[in-house]
Amino acid sequence: MIEARHDRVVIRPVKLKGVTDGGIILPDNSKVQNSEGEVVAAGPDSSCKAGQFVVYARYAGQEVEHEGENFVIVPDSQVYAVKPSKTRTA
């Protein structure tokens, strides 16, 4: 697993649905970049904890692939909110 350093937060983005609530299938180029996900690792200087669902800056951080999974590494200051796990969106 990836280990975060300093104030960095490693986030597993929530996968976006490719279909609207009305049933319209969206092409890949029309999907908005996701800005929500689950924290999988947080550095010692971060206020986040693993397992939290967060909202982060849409174009913040660095996208990385590790062991076949996509992650986003962002500074703690780019995490805007913590969401209860029941209210996460996909």
Side-chain angles (χ1 to χ4, degrees):
M1 181 50 68
I2 297 177
E3 182 179 314
R5 299 188 39 104
H6 306 291
D7 73 335
R8 299 299 190 238
V9 181
V10 181
I11 299 171
R12 179 184 298 120
V14 175
K15 290 186 177 24
L16 295 173
K17 292 189 282 184
V19 180
T20 66
D21 291 337
I24 298 172
I25 298 173
L26 300 172
D28 287 337
N29 62 354
S30 71
K31 294 178 187 171
V32 176
Q33 185 171 347
N34 195 11
S35 60
E36 297 180 17
E38 179 184 7
V39 175
V40 295
D45 299 330
S46 173
S47 62
C48 295
K49 296 179 182 148
Q52 290 180 319
F53 287 89
V54 295
V55 177
Y56 56 94
R58 182 165 285 155
Y59 299 104
Q62 177 68 42
E63 294 180 5
V64 295
E65 184 177 330
H66 179 69
E67 297 180 355
E69 282 193 82
N70 293 322
F71 298 96
V72 178
I73 301 173
V74 300
D76 190 65
S77 63
Q78 296 295 300
V79 176
Y80 296 148
V82 176
K83 297 176 71 173
S85 61
K86 294 177 188 173
T87 63
R88 66 182 197 190
T89 57

